[in-house]
């Protein structure tokens, strides 16, 4: 059986159904809890956490790589980052939403194209 969203093969008994779609667990979770880049409460929470003495948020490997790419390029289209890192779009969206909440990255329109850049 294949996932209706990402087309990967789903092991027997591991499929999930949502809105009449058969999904793998990752796609099911993404649909239940989509990433939200613009979330004032999450920004407040991230900033409050960072203010606590000795408590800097830890970045995962993809987040570190995203920041490194943006540092090197000065800003790049999201799809290019996804292709460079060879990650799923949903993983990229979740990682950049987290970085946005920490005010480390932001979006911008440059030459008519949406790019992501360092804050």
């Amino acid at each position: 059986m294949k996932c209706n969203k990402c087309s990967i093969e789903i092991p027997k008994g591991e499929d999930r159904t949502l809105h009449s779609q058969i999904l793998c667990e990752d796609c099911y979770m993404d649909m239940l809890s989509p990433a939200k880049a613009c979330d004032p409460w999450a920004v407040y929470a991230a900033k409050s956490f960072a203010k606590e003495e000795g408590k800097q948020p830890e970045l995962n490997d993809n987040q570190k790589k995203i920041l490194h790419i943006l540092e090197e390029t000065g800003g790049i289209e999201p799809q290019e980052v996804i292709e460079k890192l060879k990650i799923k779009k949903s993983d990229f969206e979740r990682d950049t939403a987290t970085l946005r909440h920490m005010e480390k990255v932001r979006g911008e329109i440059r030459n008519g194209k949406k790019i992501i850049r360092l804050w």
Side-chain angles (χ1 to χ4, degrees), residues 1 15-16 18 31 36 39 43-44 48 51 56 58 67 71 85 87 90 98-99 101 114 119:
M1 179 177 307
D15 60 302
R16 307 282 188 262
L18 183 66
M31 289 185 75
K36 295 179 187 173
D39 184 345
V43 172
Y44 172 78
S48 296
K51 285 181 185 177
Q56 286 300 314
E58 291 185 33
L67 291 176
E71 197 173 292
L85 297 179
I87 58 175
S90 59
T98 301
L99 292 170
H101 299 154
K114 179 181 172 185
W119 192 268

Side-chain angles (χ1 to χ4, degrees), residues 3-116:
C3 176
N4 292 146
K5 189 170 179 189
C6 71
S7 300
I8 68 164
E9 193 66 35
I10 305 171
K12 187 173 180 150
E14 298 289 318
D15 60 302
R16 307 282 188 262
T17 304
L18 183 66
H19 306 300
S20 302
Q21 289 186 313
I22 297 170
L23 304 167
C24 65
E25 187 172 3
D26 288 343
C27 290
Y28 179 75
M29 294 303 295
D30 289 341
M31 289 185 75
L32 287 178
S33 179
K36 295 179 187 173
C38 187
D39 184 345
W41 186 247
V43 172
Y44 172 78
K47 288 171 86 174
S48 296
F49 182 77
K51 285 181 185 177
E52 290 185 35
E53 193 173 318
K55 297 241 181 173
Q56 286 300 314
E58 291 185 33
L59 303 177
N60 68 31
D61 288 339
N62 282 343
Q63 292 166 342
K64 290 175 187 174
K65 290 175 185 175
I66 290 168
L67 291 176
H68 182 71
I69 288 169
L70 297 180
E71 197 173 292
E72 286 181 335
T73 63
I76 191 171
E77 289 185 62
Q79 188 59 41
E80 291 180 65
V81 178
I82 293 167
E83 290 168 5
K84 283 180 182 249
L85 297 179
K86 296 179 175 74
I87 58 175
K88 294 190 315 184
K89 183 179 178 186
S90 59
D91 291 339
F92 171 77
E93 289 171 348
R94 193 166 305 281
D95 286 333
T96 54
T98 301
L99 292 170
R100 167 64 184 91
H101 299 154
M102 289 186 256
E103 295 185 338
K104 294 191 179 290
V105 301
R106 65 186 308 161
E108 178 181 293
I109 301 295
R110 193 181 290 170
N111 299 324
K113 294 182 179 180
K114 179 181 172 185
I115 65 151
I116 184 170

